[in-house]
Amino acid sequence: MAVASAFGSGDVTDPVEIEPPDIAAYRTGNIGIPYALTFDSGRPGPHAAICGLIHGNEICGAVALSHLLERDVLSSRGRLSVIFAKTEAYSTFDPDNPNAARYIDEDMNRLWTPAAVFEHEPTNVERARVHVLRPLIDSVDILLDLHSMQADTTPLYLAGTSAKARRFAHSLGGTATIVCDAGHANGVRMRDYGPFNDDDVDQVSLLAECGQHWRRKTADMATDTAYRFLFRLEMTPRDTAAPYILPATPPDDWIEITHVFVPESDRARFTEPFARMEVIAKPGTVIAHDGHNAITTPYDDWVLIMPARRLVKNQTGARLGRLHPFAGSDDG
Ligand SMILES: [Zn+2]
């Protein structure tokens, strides 16, 4: 097992507390797409979708989706799609090397650009899966995408750049911190695909980072979030959802991401082992060294979001933002 090295270099492996569920029963799906199922209530309502495993090592999504399917938690109005996104990578999951299952060839959550989704001849398994799923995602009115994180930190709802998604995230009533960001420098996430960030249309998406990849509580949070989503959409009755909803204190603030730290060298290091939503009070504080460059905070009370344990050149190392209150705004 790899041993943690300090402040953003080297591989880190935490104990795997979650048993990856066997999802072979869903291989054929029911809409002609492997590992994708749609249930139509026959009653009016939105097309909602819950997606898991777009990163094959983030098994909390597989736990939550399997939970819903095993209990026949189907929609009581509209349509519900359940999508296991990246099954080839997930099928390689090895608890002794769990990070290796993240993807086969390419990060599938950086490929939701027109150039990739409309590719006629996808060049690898992730691009091929995006190609197959794209028509289904095009038909979705409201999307929940379940993920987990390297750091054992507060769960996050990543609501993109639209006010509609920020309000929807808050309406779930969960305890997760609501973060509004534009995504990554090295590609487009599914939650940012197509109209999901356009406030002039109704489609909404939310990415839930449910906790540290391998912790049992992360799977519980993924299941909680799935039920909150379905209950909020009036697609699942309160009695069905209640046993799986965790106690929660919804946040008073949301975080606007204003800066993204992307290392320009392979020698980037944080100055401290950041992990838990640190608020850095003083402007000019050095938070990292990137080759010969010192990365500093430009204003008061920066919040550091999702610092990577392993800093890699040209990949998001951390997001930094500022707090905004829900109270007194149109987000309340
Ligand atoms: Zn992820």
Side-chain angles (χ1 to χ4, degrees):
M1 183 175 289
V3 175
S5 56
F7 310 168
S9 63
D11 290 317
V12 177
T13 302
D14 294 276
V16 177
E17 299 175 353
I18 310 172
E19 178 82 15
D22 181 355
I23 61 170
Y26 312 117
R27 179 193 299 272
T28 55
N30 68 1
I31 52 171
I33 301 174
Y35 295 102
L37 304 99
T38 297
F39 304 98
D40 192 336
S41 69
R43 288 185 281 278
H47 180 193
I50 307 178
C51 180
L53 289 182
I54 200 164
H55 293 134
N57 61 331
E58 298 180 1
I59 53 183
C60 68
V63 173
L65 299 186
S66 298
H67 173 108
L68 297 177
L69 292 166
E70 287 165 6
R71 289 160 180 78
D72 289 330
V73 180
L74 312 178
S75 177
S76 53
R77 74 182 188 109
R79 284 183 292 153
L80 172 64
S81 289
V82 175
I83 305 164
F84 298 92
K86 190 68 210 76
T87 54
E88 289 97 335
Y90 175 66
S91 69
T92 70
F93 187 86
D94 175 357
D96 290 329
N97 187 20
N99 285 312
R102 187 167 180 82
Y103 54 80
I104 303 289
D105 295 313
E106 195 172 2
D107 188 331
M108 189 179 162
N109 211 27
R110 303 289 183 271
L111 294 175
W112 293 84
T113 59
V117 298
F118 292 109
E119 242 173 14
H120 289 298
E121 293 186 20
T123 50
N124 62 44
V125 291
E126 279 81 17
R127 286 172 179 262
R129 187 62 170 161
V130 167
H131 189 73
V132 166
L133 290 179
R134 193 261 304 166
L136 176 62
I137 300 301
D138 278 340
S139 71
V140 168
D141 297 306
I142 188 154
L143 171 72
L144 173 64
D145 190 17
L146 297 169
H147 288 249
S148 56
M149 302 177 278
Q150 293 176 22
D152 188 7
T153 186
T154 310
L156 309 173
Y157 290 158
L158 304 186
T161 57
S162 70
K164 63 184 179 182
R166 190 166 69 237
R167 283 193 287 266
F168 181 76
H170 198 221
S171 75
L172 295 184
T175 204
T177 299
I178 296 169
V179 175
C180 302
D181 73 325
H184 299 275
N186 59 336
V188 177
R189 302 173 298 197
M190 184 169 69
R191 79 141 318 284
D192 302 310
Y193 167 65
F196 286 136
N197 282 329
D198 182 351
D199 268 317
D200 292 332
V201 297
D202 291 335
Q203 285 99 326
V204 175
S205 73
L206 182 65
L207 190 164
E209 297 280 8
C210 298
Q212 204 282 331
H213 292 320
W214 329 123
R215 301 294 298 272
R216 180 68 236 172
K217 65 182 181 182
T218 302
D220 294 342
M221 178 59 69
T223 304
D224 162 276
T225 304
Y227 275 108
R228 286 182 186 276
F229 177 80
L230 293 172
F231 178 66
R232 164 68 178 78
L233 296 175
E234 301 176 2
M235 298 176 96
T236 293
R238 180 183 293 275
D239 289 351
T240 303
Y244 307 103
I245 298 283
L246 302 172
T249 304
D252 295 328
D253 305 291
W254 56 277
I255 299 172
E256 174 197 12
I257 298 300
T258 57
H259 294 71
V260 178
F261 167 42
V262 180
E264 296 176 355
S265 78
D266 284 322
R267 305 186 309 283
R269 301 285 185 274
F270 286 115
T271 54
E272 296 179 40
F274 298 116
R276 297 182 182 277
M277 311 274 298
E278 283 83 353
V279 177
I280 301 165
K282 195 173 160 208
T285 303
V286 178
I287 61 161
H289 295 284
D290 184 8
H292 296 298
N293 298 324
I295 309 301
T296 59
T297 57
Y299 50 76
D300 294 352
D301 297 332
W302 261 29
V303 186
L304 190 66
I305 307 292
M306 293 179 74
R309 284 182 171 176
R310 184 167 178 266
L311 292 172
V312 177
K313 182 180 177 181
N314 295 332
Q315 294 186 17
T316 302
R319 283 160 270 201
L320 305 106
R322 64 174 114 215
L323 292 166
H324 297 272
F326 277 108
S329 74
D330 65 350
D331 289 293

